[in-house]
Amino acid sequence: MTLTRTAPLVTPAVVRRKPRRRDGWATAIMVGPATVLYTVMLIVPVGLALYLSLTDWDGFSANPAFVGAANYLDLLDDPDLRRAAFVTLLVAAAGTAGLNLLGLGFALLVNGVSRANTFFRIVLFYPHVLSALVVGFLWSAILGTTGAVNNLVTSWGGEVLPFLSDPTWATVTMIAVLVWAGFGVNVVLYLAGLQAVPHSLIEAARIDGATRWQVFRNVTLPALGPSVTVNIVLSLVTLLKTYDLVVSLTAGGPAGQTQTVAYLILWNSFHDARLGFGSAQSVLLMLVTGALAFVVTRLRRRGELAVHQ
Protein backbone atom coordinates (compact mmCIF):
# COMPACT_ATOMS: atom_id res chain seq x y z
CA MET A 1 0.00 0.00 0.00
CA THR A 2 1.39 3.36 -1.02
CA LEU A 3 0.81 6.51 0.93
CA THR A 4 -0.01 9.76 -0.87
CA ARG A 5 0.52 13.19 0.59
CA THR A 6 -2.37 15.59 0.35
CA ALA A 7 -2.08 19.37 0.41
CA PRO A 8 -3.19 20.97 3.69
CA LEU A 9 -6.62 22.44 3.75
CA VAL A 10 -6.59 26.23 3.49
CA THR A 11 -9.65 28.16 4.41
CA PRO A 12 -10.68 31.13 2.23
CA ALA A 13 -10.01 33.42 5.15
CA VAL A 14 -6.34 32.42 5.11
CA VAL A 15 -5.86 33.05 1.39
CA ARG A 16 -5.30 36.73 0.90
CA ARG A 17 -4.42 38.25 -2.37
CA LYS A 18 -1.64 40.72 -2.09
CA PRO A 19 -2.51 44.03 -3.71
CA ARG A 20 -0.65 44.50 -6.91
CA ARG A 21 0.78 47.82 -7.84
CA ARG A 22 -0.33 47.40 -11.42
CA ASP A 23 -3.97 47.09 -10.27
CA GLY A 24 -3.70 50.56 -8.76
CA TRP A 25 -2.26 51.90 -11.99
CA ALA A 26 -5.04 50.27 -13.99
CA THR A 27 -7.66 51.87 -11.76
CA ALA A 28 -5.97 55.25 -12.07
CA ILE A 29 -5.84 54.96 -15.85
CA MET A 30 -9.55 54.13 -16.07
CA VAL A 31 -10.75 56.69 -13.54
CA GLY A 32 -8.22 59.40 -14.40
CA PRO A 33 -9.79 60.80 -17.61
CA ALA A 34 -13.24 61.06 -16.01
CA THR A 35 -11.76 62.70 -12.92
CA VAL A 36 -9.83 65.24 -14.99
CA LEU A 37 -12.89 66.00 -17.14
CA TYR A 38 -15.11 66.38 -14.06
CA THR A 39 -12.59 68.68 -12.41
CA VAL A 40 -12.03 70.86 -15.48
CA MET A 41 -15.69 71.08 -16.52
CA LEU A 42 -17.34 71.37 -13.10
CA ILE A 43 -15.09 71.91 -10.09
CA VAL A 44 -12.94 74.63 -11.67
CA PRO A 45 -15.87 76.68 -13.11
CA VAL A 46 -17.77 76.49 -9.82
CA GLY A 47 -14.69 77.56 -7.88
CA LEU A 48 -14.07 80.41 -10.33
CA ALA A 49 -17.68 81.56 -10.02
CA LEU A 50 -17.40 81.56 -6.24
CA TYR A 51 -14.25 83.66 -6.42
CA LEU A 52 -15.66 86.13 -8.97
CA SER A 53 -18.84 86.53 -6.92
CA LEU A 54 -16.68 88.14 -4.24
CA THR A 55 -15.25 90.73 -6.63
CA ASP A 56 -16.50 93.62 -8.75
CA TRP A 57 -14.92 92.30 -11.96
CA ASP A 58 -16.27 93.86 -15.16
CA GLY A 59 -14.79 91.24 -17.47
CA PHE A 60 -11.95 93.45 -18.70
CA SER A 61 -9.80 94.61 -15.78
CA ALA A 62 -6.76 92.50 -14.99
CA ASN A 63 -7.06 92.80 -11.21
CA PRO A 64 -10.65 92.68 -9.97
CA ALA A 65 -11.20 94.32 -6.60
CA PHE A 66 -12.29 92.10 -3.73
CA VAL A 67 -15.64 93.28 -2.32
CA GLY A 68 -16.53 90.34 -0.08
CA ALA A 69 -20.25 89.73 0.37
CA ALA A 70 -21.28 93.06 -1.18
CA ASN A 71 -22.68 91.39 -4.31
CA TYR A 72 -24.79 89.01 -2.24
CA LEU A 73 -26.12 91.89 -0.17
CA ASP A 74 -27.04 93.73 -3.37
CA LEU A 75 -29.07 90.69 -4.45
CA LEU A 76 -31.44 91.24 -1.53
CA ASP A 77 -32.37 94.71 -2.79
CA ASP A 78 -32.55 93.90 -6.51
CA PRO A 79 -36.15 94.19 -7.77
CA ASP A 80 -35.20 92.71 -11.14
CA LEU A 81 -33.92 89.56 -9.46
CA ARG A 82 -37.11 89.21 -7.38
CA ARG A 83 -39.25 89.48 -10.49
CA ALA A 84 -37.00 87.06 -12.41
CA ALA A 85 -37.07 84.62 -9.49
CA PHE A 86 -40.87 84.64 -9.45
CA VAL A 87 -41.02 84.04 -13.22
CA THR A 88 -38.42 81.26 -12.97
CA LEU A 89 -40.26 79.45 -10.17
CA LEU A 90 -43.56 79.82 -12.04
CA VAL A 91 -42.01 78.43 -15.22
CA ALA A 92 -40.38 75.58 -13.29
CA ALA A 93 -43.55 74.59 -11.41
CA ALA A 94 -46.01 74.86 -14.29
CA GLY A 95 -43.55 73.48 -16.83
CA THR A 96 -42.66 70.47 -14.68
CA ALA A 97 -46.34 69.64 -14.24
CA GLY A 98 -47.02 70.01 -17.96
CA LEU A 99 -43.96 68.01 -19.04
CA ASN A 100 -44.77 65.09 -16.78
CA LEU A 101 -48.51 64.98 -17.39
CA LEU A 102 -48.08 65.11 -21.16
CA GLY A 103 -45.08 62.80 -21.05
CA LEU A 104 -46.88 60.13 -19.04
CA GLY A 105 -50.11 60.52 -21.00
CA PHE A 106 -48.51 60.09 -24.41
CA ALA A 107 -46.25 57.31 -23.11
CA LEU A 108 -49.35 55.34 -22.16
CA LEU A 109 -50.83 55.96 -25.61
CA VAL A 110 -47.76 54.79 -27.59
CA ASN A 111 -46.65 52.03 -25.22
CA GLY A 112 -47.66 49.16 -27.48
CA VAL A 113 -45.40 47.60 -30.12
CA SER A 114 -46.57 48.59 -33.59
CA ARG A 115 -45.45 50.60 -36.59
CA ALA A 116 -47.90 53.36 -35.76
CA ASN A 117 -46.54 53.69 -32.22
CA THR A 118 -42.97 53.80 -33.54
CA PHE A 119 -43.92 56.59 -35.91
CA PHE A 120 -45.66 58.60 -33.20
CA ARG A 121 -42.72 58.15 -30.83
CA ILE A 122 -40.45 59.75 -33.43
CA VAL A 123 -42.92 62.59 -33.99
CA LEU A 124 -43.27 63.25 -30.26
CA PHE A 125 -39.52 63.30 -29.69
CA TYR A 126 -38.70 65.43 -32.74
CA PRO A 127 -39.26 68.89 -31.12
CA HIS A 128 -36.53 68.10 -28.59
CA VAL A 129 -34.03 67.57 -31.41
CA LEU A 130 -34.42 71.19 -32.49
CA SER A 131 -32.27 73.85 -30.88
CA ALA A 132 -34.09 75.95 -28.27
CA LEU A 133 -33.10 79.08 -30.20
CA VAL A 134 -34.65 77.65 -33.36
CA VAL A 135 -37.80 76.70 -31.45
CA GLY A 136 -38.09 80.22 -30.06
CA PHE A 137 -37.69 81.89 -33.44
CA LEU A 138 -40.14 79.42 -34.98
CA TRP A 139 -42.90 80.13 -32.45
CA SER A 140 -42.14 83.84 -32.53
CA ALA A 141 -42.84 83.77 -36.27
CA ILE A 142 -46.07 81.88 -35.59
CA LEU A 143 -47.39 83.77 -32.54
CA GLY A 144 -45.81 87.22 -32.90
CA THR A 145 -47.83 90.38 -33.49
CA THR A 146 -47.24 90.03 -37.22
CA GLY A 147 -46.96 86.26 -37.09
CA ALA A 148 -48.88 83.63 -39.00
CA VAL A 149 -51.67 83.21 -36.40
CA ASN A 150 -52.37 86.94 -36.02
CA ASN A 151 -52.27 87.47 -39.78
CA LEU A 152 -54.90 84.77 -40.12
CA VAL A 153 -57.01 86.24 -37.29
CA THR A 154 -56.88 89.79 -38.66
CA SER A 155 -57.72 88.57 -42.16
CA TRP A 156 -60.94 87.18 -40.70
CA GLY A 157 -61.72 90.52 -39.06
CA GLY A 158 -60.51 89.68 -35.55
CA GLU A 159 -58.17 91.59 -33.25
CA VAL A 160 -54.52 90.86 -32.75
CA LEU A 161 -53.92 88.31 -29.99
CA PRO A 162 -51.15 89.46 -27.58
CA PHE A 163 -49.32 86.15 -27.35
CA LEU A 164 -45.94 87.87 -26.87
CA SER A 165 -46.92 91.49 -26.17
CA ASP A 166 -48.90 91.07 -22.93
CA PRO A 167 -46.99 89.99 -19.77
CA THR A 168 -49.47 87.30 -18.75
CA TRP A 169 -49.96 85.99 -22.27
CA ALA A 170 -46.20 86.00 -22.90
CA THR A 171 -45.48 84.01 -19.73
CA VAL A 172 -48.15 81.43 -20.55
CA THR A 173 -46.92 81.22 -24.14
CA MET A 174 -43.33 80.72 -23.00
CA ILE A 175 -44.34 77.90 -20.65
CA ALA A 176 -46.42 76.24 -23.38
CA VAL A 177 -43.54 76.38 -25.87
CA LEU A 178 -41.13 74.98 -23.28
CA VAL A 179 -43.47 72.07 -22.62
CA TRP A 180 -44.00 71.47 -26.36
CA ALA A 181 -40.26 71.43 -26.99
CA GLY A 182 -39.28 69.20 -24.08
CA PHE A 183 -41.95 66.63 -23.27
CA GLY A 184 -40.56 64.16 -25.83
CA VAL A 185 -37.76 63.29 -23.40
CA ASN A 186 -40.31 62.58 -20.68
CA VAL A 187 -42.20 60.32 -23.07
CA VAL A 188 -39.05 58.27 -23.69
CA LEU A 189 -38.23 57.99 -19.98
CA TYR A 190 -41.77 56.99 -19.07
CA LEU A 191 -41.80 54.43 -21.87
CA ALA A 192 -38.66 52.89 -20.37
CA GLY A 193 -40.43 52.77 -17.00
CA LEU A 194 -43.54 51.19 -18.49
CA GLN A 195 -41.47 48.44 -20.09
CA ALA A 196 -40.23 47.48 -16.61
CA VAL A 197 -43.72 47.08 -15.12
CA PRO A 198 -44.33 43.32 -14.59
CA HIS A 199 -46.98 42.23 -17.07
CA SER A 200 -48.02 39.44 -14.72
CA LEU A 201 -49.25 41.97 -12.15
CA ILE A 202 -51.34 43.75 -14.75
CA GLU A 203 -52.85 40.47 -15.94
CA ALA A 204 -53.60 39.41 -12.37
CA ALA A 205 -55.36 42.71 -11.67
CA ARG A 206 -57.45 42.36 -14.84
CA ILE A 207 -58.41 38.80 -13.94
CA ASP A 208 -59.58 40.08 -10.55
CA GLY A 209 -61.91 42.47 -12.36
CA ALA A 210 -59.99 45.72 -12.02
CA THR A 211 -60.82 48.49 -14.46
CA ARG A 212 -58.15 50.23 -16.56
CA TRP A 213 -58.08 53.17 -14.16
CA GLN A 214 -57.71 50.84 -11.17
CA VAL A 215 -54.90 48.96 -12.89
CA PHE A 216 -53.12 52.21 -13.65
CA ARG A 217 -53.59 53.68 -10.16
CA ASN A 218 -52.81 50.55 -8.13
CA VAL A 219 -50.28 48.72 -10.33
CA THR A 220 -48.73 50.84 -13.07
CA LEU A 221 -48.29 54.15 -11.24
CA PRO A 222 -46.63 52.69 -8.11
CA ALA A 223 -44.23 50.74 -10.34
CA LEU A 224 -43.38 53.99 -12.16
CA GLY A 225 -42.21 55.65 -8.93
CA PRO A 226 -38.50 55.82 -9.87
CA SER A 227 -39.34 57.08 -13.37
CA VAL A 228 -41.58 59.79 -11.95
CA THR A 229 -38.80 60.93 -9.60
CA VAL A 230 -36.23 61.10 -12.39
CA ASN A 231 -38.60 62.97 -14.70
CA ILE A 232 -39.62 65.53 -12.08
CA VAL A 233 -36.06 66.29 -11.00
CA LEU A 234 -34.78 66.43 -14.58
CA SER A 235 -37.62 68.72 -15.67
CA LEU A 236 -37.21 70.98 -12.65
CA VAL A 237 -33.46 71.42 -13.06
CA THR A 238 -33.77 72.04 -16.79
CA LEU A 239 -36.50 74.66 -16.44
CA LEU A 240 -34.75 76.53 -13.62
CA LYS A 241 -31.91 77.37 -15.99
CA THR A 242 -34.06 78.36 -18.96
CA TYR A 243 -32.31 81.00 -21.05
CA ASP A 244 -31.97 80.35 -24.77
CA LEU A 245 -35.67 80.06 -25.53
CA VAL A 246 -36.33 83.31 -23.66
CA VAL A 247 -33.78 85.05 -25.89
CA SER A 248 -35.33 83.93 -29.16
CA LEU A 249 -39.01 83.97 -28.16
CA THR A 250 -39.57 87.05 -25.97
CA ALA A 251 -36.10 88.58 -25.42
CA GLY A 252 -37.20 89.00 -21.80
CA GLY A 253 -40.11 91.24 -22.76
CA PRO A 254 -42.50 92.81 -22.67
CA ALA A 255 -40.78 95.28 -20.31
CA GLY A 256 -38.67 92.54 -18.75
CA GLN A 257 -41.70 90.60 -17.52
CA THR A 258 -40.51 87.24 -18.89
CA GLN A 259 -36.90 87.46 -17.76
CA THR A 260 -35.72 84.33 -15.98
CA VAL A 261 -32.85 84.24 -13.50
CA ALA A 262 -30.53 82.62 -16.04
CA TYR A 263 -31.40 85.29 -18.62
CA LEU A 264 -30.81 88.02 -16.03
CA ILE A 265 -27.45 86.53 -15.06
CA LEU A 266 -26.13 86.72 -18.60
CA TRP A 267 -27.66 90.16 -19.13
CA ASN A 268 -25.96 91.57 -16.03
CA SER A 269 -22.70 89.78 -16.74
CA PHE A 270 -22.16 90.70 -20.38
CA HIS A 271 -24.56 93.50 -21.31
CA ASP A 272 -23.96 95.50 -18.12
CA ALA A 273 -20.35 94.28 -17.67
CA ARG A 274 -21.01 93.18 -14.05
CA LEU A 275 -19.50 89.72 -14.05
CA GLY A 276 -18.94 89.77 -10.31
CA PHE A 277 -22.61 90.50 -9.62
CA GLY A 278 -23.68 87.98 -12.26
CA SER A 279 -21.46 85.34 -10.67
CA ALA A 280 -23.16 85.93 -7.32
CA GLN A 281 -26.52 85.41 -9.02
CA SER A 282 -25.29 82.20 -10.65
CA VAL A 283 -24.03 80.86 -7.30
CA LEU A 284 -27.43 81.61 -5.76
CA LEU A 285 -29.23 79.88 -8.65
CA MET A 286 -26.96 76.85 -8.30
CA LEU A 287 -27.67 76.56 -4.57
CA VAL A 288 -31.43 76.96 -5.01
CA THR A 289 -31.50 74.40 -7.84
CA GLY A 290 -29.52 71.89 -5.80
CA ALA A 291 -31.72 72.42 -2.74
CA LEU A 292 -34.97 72.03 -4.68
CA ALA A 293 -33.69 68.91 -6.47
CA PHE A 294 -32.66 67.40 -3.11
CA VAL A 295 -36.01 68.20 -1.47
CA VAL A 296 -38.04 66.83 -4.39
CA THR A 297 -35.96 63.64 -4.48
CA ARG A 298 -36.39 63.08 -0.74
CA LEU A 299 -40.14 63.67 -0.89
CA ARG A 300 -40.52 61.34 -3.86
CA ARG A 301 -38.53 58.59 -2.16
CA ARG A 302 -40.66 58.88 0.96
CA GLY A 303 -43.74 58.60 -1.22
CA GLU A 304 -42.37 55.51 -2.95
CA LEU A 305 -41.56 53.86 0.39
CA ALA A 306 -45.04 54.67 1.69
CA VAL A 307 -46.62 53.06 -1.37
CA HIS A 308 -44.58 49.84 -1.07
CA GLN A 309 -45.26 49.59 2.64
Side-chain angles (χ1 to χ4, degrees), residues 15 45 72 75 135 149 167 198 215 217 255 303:
V15 179
Y72 293 97
L75 293 178
V135 170
V149 172
V215 171
R217 186 183 62 183

Side-chain angles (χ1 to χ4, degrees), residues 229 233 236-237 287-302:
T229 301
V233 174
L236 184 66
V237 172
L287 293 175
V288 171
T289 302
L292 287 177
F294 175 78
V295 170
V296 170
T297 303
R298 293 284 294 181
L299 292 176
R300 282 295 310 158
R301 286 181 178 177
R302 288 183 181 180

Side-chain angles (χ1 to χ4, degrees), residues 140-154:
S140 178
I142 295 174
L143 301 177
T145 304
T146 58
V149 172
N150 277 316
N151 284 336
L152 184 62
V153 171
T154 54

